[in-house]
Amino acid sequence: MAAETQTPPIRFGIIGCARVARTVSRAITLAPNAVISAVASRSIEKASLFAKANNFPPEAKIYGSYEALLDDPDIDAVYLPLPTSLHVKWAVVVAQKKKHLLMEKPVALNVAEFDVIAKACEDNGVQFMDGTMWVHNLRTAKMREFLSDSERFGQLKAIHSCFSFTGHPDFLKNDIRVKPDLDGLGALGDTGWYCVRSILWANDYELPKTVVALHGPVLNEAGVILSCGASLHWDDGRIATFFCSFLSNLTMDITAIGTKGTLNLHDFVIPFQNKEASFIVNSKCVFNETVTSWVPIPSAHTVTTDIPQEVCMVREFSRLVGDVKMVQSLS
Amino acid sequence: MAAETQTPPIRFGIIGCARVARTVSRAITLAPNAVISAVASRSIEKASLFAKANNFPPEAKIYGSYEALLDDPDIDAVYLPLPTSLHVKWAVVVAQKKKHLLMEKPVALNVAEFDVIAKACEDNGVQFMDGTMWVHNLRTAKMREFLSDSERFGQLKAIHSCFSFTGHPDFLKNDIRVKPDLDGLGALGDTGWYCVRSILWANDYELPKTVVALHGPVLNEAGVILSCGASLHWDDGRIATFFCSFLSNLTMDITAIGTKGTLNLHDFVIPFQNKEASFIVNSKCVFNETVTSWVPIPSAHTVTTDIPQEVCMVREFSRLVGDVKMVQSLS
């Protein structure tokens, strides 16, 4: 990590003041290779209040328009927590302004939109990353080790993933995530995003052959998904199911079952605790002689860290941006 | 429980020497209101060996035919662990012989067959119970309390259940559970039975409106299910999914999600330990201010007991049989 101390920190501009921007702003402040340089909102007052409320450094600039921030030459990278319907428009502008892009999930309303974003980033030589924090948790690397262990876990056969929370009446009426013109994917884009990611992650990002929506999704009056699920199928018999909802208690489960082991956790998106995270390892358990108990009993594997997952994410993104900048400065 | 000590214990005859019969035999021995009176196999040698291997009381009778045991007037109840394809035939005979019936699951190959069994039991005034042990675990009553708690759990919205184990090559070739003429329901009848039961249990036995098989079940060459799943749907939006398999590591999960709480456990069919069993209670958890941890952290609720679930099952069945006998003796 010597490079981190030798190269200057990546200078972030934040476009939009969504609630999630608070968490990522704090992570940028905590990451050793990143710094907050500016924040923009359509209202300069809102941007100013946001900067104060989140303890931005005094030198951070406040902009009353996204364009002004994007024209600032002292910004390396942009964190974009805007509503999903605005992603493709602003992501393309960010890329054209040669700013690297850390974008909140869901990244786009559909694949075609994301292809436009990806092409803009590639054409302009900027790094892209989506804001899925849990994959950067140190625990996730340990879970990957377990899933990749042919002796302890074997071959993946089935995975179930669930992310739900109970939206308050105000959320279900007014949040951007239930508005067709803002975050039209609803619960599927908000919580289902994590479920799908966990399933693809467990499958080493091999896409399924078939995806079947579960019967009877729950929609609001505007047709936005409040609760749904699906099953995913691979040719070799591997299967996945997920359930995502704005109408069910806060739940963040993964159960991944291999031929020799099972992985369980109940806090995969946001860990129960900030500085440690656990998962349950069940490997080659059998029953006792009278078939009345297990040998061995599955046990928790705990990973401790001083670096929360959102900081790991910003650090990794900034490291990649630093690499890109270095390569570009040499060419 | 004074009645248990005043009335003589229920005298059990066991028909068939399946592996599961060992567990239930031991439970009959341990139940305070039950006793093993006889065992029958098609081979008297096999029955004799089984009695010795499982420490049957010396006065237990050994029969070389099922009929002989059923003609014994000193038998009150029969435990029937025969292959499922034989259930309807022998259950009807058991009932006609006025023996109460504790029958191994799955109880029948289809509903029509079970209707015949239920009618025979009703016509002959004998008690029926299936051999699903976990519903008798003291933990299950505590879980029921949680699911019924409108403040801690709220209204059930979704449940996922999974029971799988990896069958050894010999199991997958020779076990009765992979033979179409013996236990033709395969993994669905063997492990899926428990999943379906847990789903119905969580739904207070309200039947779903729609059941949809998941795409791509895995069958063996004879067409018996080795791995499959389904989703179940109720009119009010409640949803359930399950996965059952002979091809995936030993896993016994329930995740039940309400509007205010979530129940998790990983050993619902056979508890990890004989004398205590836990489940995880997640109720009205929220995130901390920075959305980086949970408050409160879900916690384990542990139930300790001196009476293992299989003994609870035999004790409850025997109590019911005792009640039936008392009523019949008075009429």
Side-chain angles (χ1 to χ4, degrees), chain B residues 22-54:
Chain B
R22 294 186 306 159
T23 306
V24 176
S25 299
R26 182 171 162 274
I28 295 169
T29 308
L30 293 172
N33 55 351
V35 64
I36 292 180
S37 287
V39 58
S41 174
R42 284 170 299 175
S43 136
I44 198 159
E45 289 75 22
K46 200 175 165 194
S48 182
L49 279 172
F50 187 83
K52 277 185 195 131
N54 292 284

Side-chain angles (χ1 to χ4, degrees), chain A residues 166 249 251 262 270 274 292 294, chain B residues 251 258-259 262 270 274 292 294:
Chain A
T166 303
N249 184 58
T251 304
T262 302
I270 305 281
N274 207 295
T292 52
W294 295 42
Chain B
T251 304
T259 48
T262 303
I270 305 281
N274 207 296
T292 52
W294 294 41

Side-chain angles (χ1 to χ4, degrees), chain A residues 19 23 25 33 40 59 65 74 84 107 110 113 128 141 150 174 180 185 193 195 206 255 287 298 304 315:
Chain A
R19 187 181 184 219
T23 307
S25 298
N33 54 352
E59 62 272 22
S65 84
D74 295 330
T84 311
V107 292
N110 52 54
E113 275 196 0
F128 176 88
S150 60
N174 298 318
L185 295 172
W193 167 274
C195 299
E206 182 187 340
T255 301
F287 297 130
T304 57
R315 185 180 63 173

Side-chain angles (χ1 to χ4, degrees), chain B residues 72-328:
Chain B
D72 184 339
D74 296 330
I75 305 279
D76 301 307
V78 165
Y79 169 60
L80 199 76
L82 296 175
T84 311
S85 60
L86 299 176
H87 279 190
V88 64
K89 172 185 171 182
W90 285 105
V92 169
V93 177
V94 167
Q96 288 169 342
K97 296 287 186 178
K98 310 293 183 191
K99 311 297 190 194
H100 303 276
L101 179 57
L102 176 61
M103 187 146 80
E104 207 36 73
K105 35 64 52 184
V107 292
L109 290 171
N110 52 55
V111 172
E113 274 196 0
F114 183 68
D115 284 345
V116 171
I117 295 171
K119 183 170 188 307
C121 289
E122 207 164 330
D123 288 350
N124 289 284
V126 300
Q127 179 68 42
F128 176 88
M129 184 181 274
D130 72 78
T132 307
M133 300 169 183
W134 72 269
V135 294
H136 301 277
N137 195 307
L138 291 187
R139 169 176 66 177
T140 306
K142 286 290 172 191
M143 297 196 300
R144 178 76 262 162
E145 279 178 23
F146 178 56
L147 295 189
S148 302
D149 190 323
S150 61
E151 275 310 304
R152 289 191 300 153
F153 185 77
Q155 184 194 342
L156 180 68
K157 302 294 277 185
I159 173 169
H160 179 72
S161 178
C162 171
F163 181 10
S164 66
F165 63 83
T166 303
H168 291 288
D170 183 59
F171 174 95
L172 293 175
K173 194 173 175 190
N174 298 317
D175 195 88
I176 62 166
R177 287 168 281 184
V178 299
K179 301 290 183 186
D181 53 337
L182 294 172
D183 270 320
L185 295 172
L188 180 61
D190 189 41
T191 63
W193 167 275
Y194 292 98
C195 299
V196 172
R197 181 66 163 267
S198 70
I199 289 167
L200 294 178
W201 167 81
N203 280 283
D204 269 334
Y205 297 98
E206 183 186 341
L207 292 178
K209 181 74 173 289
T210 308
V211 178
V212 186
L214 295 186
H215 180 76
V218 180
L219 311 178
N220 68 10
E221 289 177 358
V224 174
I225 292 172
L226 301 180
S227 182
C228 74
S231 64
L232 298 81
H233 308 267
W234 287 256
D235 273 344
D236 62 0
R238 262 175 297 156
I239 184 172
T241 47
F242 75 84
F243 172 71
C244 61
S245 181
F246 289 156
L247 306 174
S248 304
N249 185 58
L250 181 59
T251 304
M252 297 174 169
D253 279 8
I254 293 176
T255 300
I257 314 177
T259 48
K260 298 179 182 173
T262 303
L263 167 79
N264 282 112
L265 72 164
H266 301 298
D267 59 347
F268 82 98
V269 180
I270 305 281
F272 292 143
Q273 299 179 73
N274 207 296
K275 297 203 169 178
E276 68 171 62
S278 299
F279 59 97
I280 302 168
V281 169
N282 154 348
S283 185
K284 296 188 218 168
C285 298
V286 295
F287 297 131
N288 69 341
E289 172 62 20
T290 53
V291 195
T292 52
S293 62
W294 294 41
V295 185
I297 295 172
S299 57
H301 183 102
T302 300
V303 179
T304 57
T305 175
D306 282 335
I307 308 176
Q309 62 183 17
E310 63 275 13
V311 179
C312 292
M313 176 181 78
V314 170
R315 185 180 62 173
E316 174 66 1
F317 174 72
S318 299
R319 187 187 68 76
L320 292 166
V321 170
D323 287 354
V324 173
K325 281 168 61 99
M326 186 175 295
V327 169
Q328 288 172 341

